């Protein structure tokens, strides 16, 4: 079962905007050396929305070659169930163990349409499904009752990534209704990880430049909630800084570039580069915190 620290892999680009596989390999090796429980590709922090199908396939195979049997989660989906089924089956063929699927968002669905969308996927795809409940990104809210109904109806739905603030309240409602039958993951760059662990999540899916921080919190929690809380509070300003809409991707890449893992901090539009003041603020944050990424550029 997927659990623990499952970061979202950032996508490196060269100065011309092409995928930089050398930098991506450096990042994957860094993550493996730190110890992760799985790896997610093509999510929002991966700029998956800005990658072509060919780039995604090449990127997936590059990562798979390095990670071996490590569970791989691939964000897949579409604006209709027909499009989503094709995309999900594609990542399954590449070797993904889990498909992370947002509800359709071009035409905003209601609860019935959301149910029909995931029903069609579960009937047509032979892969474990993670529902990504991220209304700040999609503009679509999935009610707790709909999520419960889906999980009880379709065994293929194994996980929910809960990213609707306040995540804590939704996690508790889902946990009360579903128990341990479905694995709940936190997101939002682990900005509520301590509280989410207390509510019963089995893991988190943050950005990828601080696996050591996430590991420290996850390992401390079972033996001492106080220790986990102290670790979390120490790094909370940094976690919070990386979840800002529009510039979050650039913040993650700036850290990776500064660490020497990425050759550039290039982002594809519509993501934005950060300005000099933001860069200085990030420098002040990271200078005050020990982060393994700054000693692991090779």
């Amino acid at each position: 079962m997927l659990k623990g620290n499952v970061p979202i892999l950032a996508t490196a680009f060269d100065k011309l905007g092409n995928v930089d596989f050398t930098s991506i390999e450096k990042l994957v090796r860094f993550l493996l050396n730190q110890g992760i429980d799985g790896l997610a590709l093509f999510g929002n922090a991966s700029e998956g929305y800005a990658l072509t199908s060919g780039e995604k396939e090449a990127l997936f195979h590059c990562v798979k070659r390095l990670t071996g049997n490590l569970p791989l989660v691939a964000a897949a989906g579409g604006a209709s169930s027909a499009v989503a089924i094709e995309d999900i089956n594609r990542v399954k063929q590449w070797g993904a163990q889990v498909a992370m699927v947002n509800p359709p968002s071009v035409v905003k669905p209601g609860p019935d349409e959301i149910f029909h969308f995931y029903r069609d996927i579960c009937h047509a795809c032979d892969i474990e499904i993670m529902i990504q409940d991220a209304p700040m990104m999609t503009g679509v809210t999935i009610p707790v009752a709909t999520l419960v109904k889906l999980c009880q109806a379709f065994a293929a739905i194994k996980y929910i990534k809960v990213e609707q603030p306040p995540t804590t309240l939704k996690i508790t409602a889902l946990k009360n209704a579903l128990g341990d039958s479905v694995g709940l993951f936190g997101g939002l760059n682990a900005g509520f990880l301590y509280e989410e662990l207390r509510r019963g999540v089995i893991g988190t899916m943050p950005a990828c430049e601080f696996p050591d921080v996430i590991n420290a919190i996850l390992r401390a929690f079972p033996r001492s909630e106080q220790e986990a809380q102290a670790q979390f509070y120490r790094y909370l300003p940094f976690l919070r800084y990386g979840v800002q809409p529009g510039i979050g991707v650039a913040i993650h890449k700036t850290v990776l570039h500064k660490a020497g893992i990425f050759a550039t901090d290039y982002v594809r539009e519509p993501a934005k580069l950060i300005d000099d003041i933001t860069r200085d603020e990030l420098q002040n944050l990271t200078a005050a915190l020990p982060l393994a990424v700054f000693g692991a550029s090779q």
Side-chain angles (χ1 to χ4, degrees):
M1 186 176 189
L2 189 71
K3 62 180 180 179
N5 183 6
V6 185
I8 309 291
L9 186 75
T11 303
F13 300 109
D14 63 22
K15 292 180 179 180
L16 298 178
N18 300 309
V19 177
D20 176 3
F21 290 99
T22 299
S23 292
I24 289 168
E25 289 181 5
K26 282 186 179 180
L27 175 56
V28 172
R29 290 192 181 98
F30 163 67
L31 292 168
L32 293 175
N33 287 337
Q34 286 298 309
I36 54 175
D37 301 298
L39 190 58
L41 292 80
F42 315 141
N44 192 42
S46 304
E47 294 171 270
Y49 51 81
L51 296 173
T52 68
S53 295
E55 288 171 335
K56 286 183 177 182
E57 182 174 10
L59 178 56
F60 190 98
H61 290 309
C62 171
V63 171
K64 181 64 176 175
R65 176 174 54 82
L66 296 171
T67 56
N69 293 325
L70 187 77
L72 295 181
V73 180
S80 72
S81 58
V83 174
I85 287 166
E86 180 180 77
D87 197 35
I88 294 165
N89 283 333
R90 184 183 299 118
V91 300
K92 167 65 163 53
Q93 184 180 26
W94 294 344
Q97 285 79 28
V98 180
M100 182 170 67
V101 186
N102 275 302
S105 59
V106 175
V107 177
K108 305 303 180 190
D112 287 345
E113 291 78 20
I114 292 171
F115 184 88
H116 296 158
F117 175 80
Y118 286 104
R119 175 202 63 193
D120 294 347
I121 287 169
C122 291
H123 285 164
C125 302
D126 182 21
I127 188 173
E128 293 186 350
I129 299 295
M130 173 185 287
I131 297 177
Q132 184 172 12
D133 177 28
M136 292 195 302
M137 179 174 64
T138 64
V140 177
T141 297
I142 311 178
V144 168
T146 303
L147 288 166
V148 171
K149 183 180 177 183
L150 282 166
C151 292
Q152 291 175 340
F154 306 111
I157 299 174
K158 302 293 187 183
Y159 311 100
I160 303 171
K161 185 183 181 189
V162 183
E163 297 190 282
Q164 179 185 350
T167 60
T168 50
L169 300 186
K170 198 161 193 178
I171 287 165
T172 292
L174 289 167
K175 194 71 175 176
N176 288 341
L178 296 169
D180 296 330
S181 63
V182 173
L184 303 179
F185 275 81
L188 297 179
N189 209 40
F192 297 90
L193 177 56
Y194 171 69
E195 293 85 2
E196 290 170 347
L197 286 168
R198 297 188 72 240
R199 303 274 183 147
V201 298
I202 63 170
T204 188
M205 301 177 72
C208 62
E209 70 270 24
F210 49 93
D212 50 315
V213 176
I214 300 302
N215 286 341
I217 296 168
L218 292 177
R219 290 167 184 166
F221 187 81
R223 66 174 181 263
S224 170
E225 289 192 18
Q226 186 176 11
E227 181 184 346
Q229 183 186 47
Q231 286 278 2
F232 173 72
Y233 284 174
R234 182 182 188 187
Y235 285 92
L236 183 56
F238 175 63
L239 304 179
R240 170 186 65 97
Y241 209 75
V243 79
Q244 298 179 77
I247 62 171
V249 169
I251 287 169
H252 306 315
K253 286 192 168 182
T254 298
V255 174
L256 292 168
H257 181 221
K258 179 186 173 187
I261 291 179
F262 276 13
T264 78
D265 59 0
Y266 187 102
V267 296
R268 283 184 176 174
E269 292 184 349
K272 301 177 180 66
L273 288 170
I274 57 176
D275 62 14
D276 289 340
I277 297 174
T278 304
R279 196 174 297 275
D280 288 343
E281 290 169 349
L282 184 58
Q283 168 64 29
N284 290 337
L285 268 177
T286 55
L289 297 169
L291 289 166
V293 69
F294 292 120
S297 63
Q298 300 302 318

